[in-house]
């Protein structure tokens, strides 16, 4: 690996100052499960790594009236070990169970997953489905942006030089809501999504009609996508094959995947529809307060 | 730019202080500076698990940890598993069950198994396969590994209930 400097600031302000000082040649280091490999193979060569894992704000994992706060550096194992996440923000727990194996989950953070901005990142569709908002701190103050607007291309995002993702905040969960994330991979575990789908639904008190739904899609375009029309098509509709098929068709419509060794464009579009229906069905079961037949991480 | 710096941590209970560059991985420092060569290097990109160590109670791949990040950490490596010359239950079960052939994956798998059994003393076959999914073995076909892990778990449970 090339030679670089390592800094471990103790406050967000200090981290931002360091980033600004090195003007584009410094990079935040969270769990390092993307970054260290990318540096080893020479794809990235920052002069300075700024370790953001020890910053209090980036380690928050708590719920309050504003919803759930997940610090950008919180590793996957803490997220799926959290009671609130498991009971209310289940899609996020599902995603964190899938990212790499157990060793990777000890270190990999959702902030790193989002900031690496891979089209197939497994936590991003869930964060979109759950209405996540990125809280960003930078030299000129703080700003917020919806998760679906964060990534701008493969490996690219809205962060300006010197900016740091501090946390992702999720709105409080309404009654009768449920969520799920699932991906299609050729292996049982440890692979990159051919298609990934996160969905969150809210049902009425009868559990028979949709109040609202949000769907996030991964690996089917240059960035993870918010399938807004697909989710909106469900509002006010009864829960049945017809409404699910309509949502699946709307999701297929916005998919513009590439053909690669994991699957052809046509295959990915087909799988998008199949997964959207299955993931919605699982989210519906959870919204009704029942358990889905699903083995975490598979 | 990248001056060497002093890093202090404990390995298997011993306090160590080393001088290293930020670019050195924890794996390199364990093997090359501390001569703890039980931890193996397979892929150096996080996929094979041969370099697994336990850092502050969590299994990690040491090829994706910078040594400087381990400042203040408590590390456990394969060298800390046996008690003197007495193998622990997991090591013994791997020997008895012939759960290794070339052996390069074995230290990582044993360390990962120690982490599994601390979290889940009585894992099902599915639990074992899932927890060890980040450890690749190209020799055994995994079945004997899974059986050895379960045999070790059983032995430990029996020992604990006596
Ligand atoms: C064996 C293996 C298997 C994997 N499997 C999967 C998988 O199944 N699914 C999946 O989605 N990913 C997978 N990954 C990729 C990786 O583990 C995830 O993307 C992980 O979430 C990255 O988080 P991290 O904390 O390690 O990020 P890091 O590597 O520390 O950082 C990633 C990028 O984000 C930037 N960054 C980090 N934190 C911030 C911040 N707070 N503000 C601004 N920028 C920041 C860094 O500068 C870097 O560019 C795998 C990786 C490995 C090695
Ligand atoms: S050498 Fe670290 S995972 Fe392969
Ligand atoms: S025994 Fe050879 S790789 Fe596992």
């Amino acid at each position: 690996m090339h030679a670089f400097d390592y800094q471990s600031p103790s406050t967000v302000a200090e981290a931002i100052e360091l980033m600004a000082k090195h003007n584009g040649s410094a990079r935040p280091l969270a769990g390092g499960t993307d970054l260290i490999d990318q540096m080893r193979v020479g794809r990235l060569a920052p002069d300075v790594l700024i370790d953001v894992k020890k910053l209090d704000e980036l380690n928050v994992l708590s719920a309050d009236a504003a919803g759930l706060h997940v610090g950008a550096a919180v590793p996957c194992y803490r997220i799926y070990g959290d009671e609130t996440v498991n009971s209310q923000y289940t899609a996020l727990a599902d995603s964190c169970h899938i990212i790499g194996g157990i060793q990777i989950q000890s270190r990999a953070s959702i902030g790193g997953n989002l900031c690496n901005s891979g089209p197939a990142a497994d936590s991003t569709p869930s964060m979109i489905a759950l209405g996540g908002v990125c809280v960003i701190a930078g030299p000129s103050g703080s700003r917020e942006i919806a998760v679906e607007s964060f990534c701008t291309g493969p490996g690219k995002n809205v962060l300006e030089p010197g900016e740091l993702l501090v946390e992702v905040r999720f709105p409080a969960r309404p009654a009768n809501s449920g969520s799920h994330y699932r991906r299609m991979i050729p292996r049982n575990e440890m692979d990159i999504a051919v298609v990934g789908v996160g969905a969150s639904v809210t049902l009425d008190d009868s559990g028979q009609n949709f109040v609202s739904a949000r769907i996030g899609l991964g690996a089917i375009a240059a960035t993870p996508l918010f399938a807004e029309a697909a989710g909106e098509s469900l509002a006010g509709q009864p829960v049945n094959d017809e409404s699910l098929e309509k949502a699946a068709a709307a999701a297929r419509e916005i998919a513009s995947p590439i053909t690669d060794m994991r699957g052809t464009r046509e295959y990915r579009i087909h799988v998008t529809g199949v997964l959207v229906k299955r993931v919605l069905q699982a989210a519906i079961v959870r919204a009704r307060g029942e358990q889905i037949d699903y083995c975490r991480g598979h | 730019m990248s001056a060497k710096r002093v890093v202090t941590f404990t390995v298997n209970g011993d306090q160590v202080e080393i001088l290293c560059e930020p670019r050195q991985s924890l794996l390199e420092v364990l093997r090359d500076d501390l001569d703890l060569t039980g931890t193996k290097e397979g892929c150096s990109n996080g996929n094979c698990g041969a370099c697994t160590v336990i850092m502050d109670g969590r299994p990690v791949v040491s090829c994706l940890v910078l040594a400087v990040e381990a400042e203040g950490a408590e590390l456990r490596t394969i060298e800390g598993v046996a008690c003197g010359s007495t193998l622990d239950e997991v090591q013994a079960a791997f020997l008895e069950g012939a759960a290794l052939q070339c052996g390069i994956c074995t230290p990582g798998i044993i360390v990962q198994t120690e982490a599994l059994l601390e979290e889940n003393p009585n894992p099902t076959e599915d639990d074992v396969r899932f927890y060890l999914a980040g450890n690749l073995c190209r020799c055994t076909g995994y079945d004997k590994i899974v059986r050895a892990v379960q045999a070790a778990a059983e032995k430990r449970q029996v020992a604990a209930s006596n």
Side-chain angles (χ1 to χ4, degrees):
Chain A
M1 233 189 294
H2 75 286
F4 56 86
D5 194 12
Y6 168 87
Q7 301 281 343
S8 180
S10 48
T11 65
V12 169
E14 209 183 312
I16 289 166
E17 209 181 291
L18 278 169
M19 300 256 290
K21 190 173 119 195
H22 295 286
N23 191 28
S25 64
R27 250 185 193 273
L29 168 72
T33 60
D34 278 316
L35 186 53
I36 294 176
D37 181 52
Q38 288 166 7
M39 287 169 50
R40 189 168 280 134
V41 300
R43 224 166 90 198
L44 290 175
D47 291 334
V48 186
L49 287 193
I50 311 220
D51 195 341
V52 296
K53 275 190 296 298
K54 294 168 190 160
L55 303 175
D56 290 342
E57 291 87 338
L58 277 77
N59 272 302
V60 165
L61 181 57
S62 66
D64 61 20
L68 177 75
H69 304 263
V70 184
V74 175
C76 290
Y77 86 92
R78 276 186 60 203
I79 295 175
Y80 61 65
D82 184 81
E83 204 33 59
T84 308
V85 176
N86 271 317
S87 56
Q88 295 181 49
Y89 300 86
T90 330
L92 190 60
D94 297 337
S95 290
C96 290
H97 269 291
I98 276 178
I99 295 176
I102 302 292
Q103 294 97 319
I104 297 297
Q105 292 159 13
S106 294
R107 303 248 302 160
S109 64
I110 53 140
N113 201 227
L114 188 56
C115 293
N116 189 57
S117 301
D122 279 309
S123 70
T124 313
S126 293
M127 293 201 272
I128 292 173
L130 293 166
V133 174
C134 305
V135 180
I136 297 166
S140 48
S142 281
R143 63 185 178 117
E144 299 192 350
I145 183 168
V147 172
E148 57 266 29
S149 307
F150 186 84
C151 298
T152 53
K156 296 202 176 93
N157 58 53
V158 299
L159 290 181
E160 302 283 348
E163 282 189 325
L164 203 63
L165 178 65
V166 175
E167 69 170 36
V168 181
R169 193 184 64 229
F170 299 92
R173 300 289 290 158
N176 309 315
S177 63
S179 65
H180 184 43
Y181 175 80
R182 185 167 267 218
R183 68 181 178 186
M184 154 70 203
I185 54 171
R187 300 177 64 202
N188 280 336
E189 58 267 304
M190 294 285 286
D191 204 347
I192 299 172
V194 173
V195 177
V197 175
S200 167
V201 304
T202 303
L203 306 180
D204 65 7
D205 287 339
S206 74
Q208 301 306 317
N209 303 288
F210 291 102
V211 173
S212 63
R214 286 177 65 94
I215 300 169
L217 305 174
I220 47 85
T223 64
L225 292 184
F226 175 33
E228 194 171 5
E232 273 173 6
S233 79
L234 293 169
Q237 298 301 307
V239 174
N240 59 29
D241 288 347
E242 199 190 326
S243 60
L244 294 184
E245 184 49 57
K246 253 194 199 152
R252 278 197 301 265
E253 198 121 303
I254 63 162
S256 56
I258 54 167
T259 292
D260 68 9
M261 65 188 229
R262 287 173 209 281
T264 61
R265 178 186 157 80
E266 292 71 21
Y267 178 67
R268 282 195 155 100
I269 293 176
H270 174 73
V271 172
T272 302
V274 174
L275 267 193
V276 163
K277 278 188 279 186
R278 286 193 192 161
V279 172
L280 281 169
Q281 271 155 351
I284 291 161
V285 171
R286 284 179 169 166
R288 289 172 177 159
E290 295 155 16
Q291 294 292 316
I292 62 169
D293 180 21
Y294 163 70
C295 188
R296 280 274 164 78
H298 287 245
Chain B
M1 189 78 240
S2 58
K4 286 199 173 189
R5 60 176 74 205
V6 177
V7 179
T8 312
F9 47 72
T10 67
V11 187
N12 304 322
D14 297 333
Q15 181 92 14
V16 298
E17 198 180 89
I18 47 142
L19 200 59
C20 71
E21 280 187 75
R23 66 171 160 185
Q24 285 180 280
S25 69
L26 178 60
L27 173 62
E28 279 170 63
V29 164
L30 287 172
R31 289 182 55 86
D32 302 344
D33 296 63
L34 298 172
D35 223 16
L36 292 169
T37 54
T39 304
K40 301 302 177 196
E41 176 173 17
C43 63
S44 254
N45 59 27
N47 275 282
C48 78
C51 66
T52 301
V53 302
I54 298 178
M55 183 168 168
D56 293 327
R58 290 289 313 177
V60 299
V61 281
S62 59
C63 66
L64 293 185
V65 178
L66 301 175
V68 287
E69 290 181 83
E71 173 61 41
E74 261 179 46
L75 300 171
R76 280 161 60 201
T77 68
I78 185 68
E79 286 85 355
V81 170
C83 184
S85 59
T86 312
L87 299 182
D88 92 332
E89 298 88 344
V90 180
Q91 293 171 310
F94 270 63
L95 264 188
E96 281 157 25
L100 63 145
Q101 289 177 31
C102 81
I104 188 133
C105 69
T106 314
I109 292 187
I110 288 178
V111 169
Q112 184 69 4
T113 301
E114 299 291 345
L116 164 66
L117 296 184
E118 271 156 40
E119 217 176 294
N120 178 358
N122 193 14
T124 63
E125 175 179 345
D126 201 50
D127 292 340
V128 176
R129 287 187 187 275
F130 184 63
Y131 207 90
L132 297 182
N135 293 80
L136 303 184
C137 173
R138 57 172 304 184
C139 301
T140 64
Y142 300 102
D143 284 352
K144 288 185 173 179
I145 292 175
V146 175
R147 285 200 289 274
V149 172
Q150 290 193 288
E154 215 177 292
K155 222 177 199 174
R156 244 183 223 180
Q157 295 248 293
V158 171
S161 65
N162 285 340

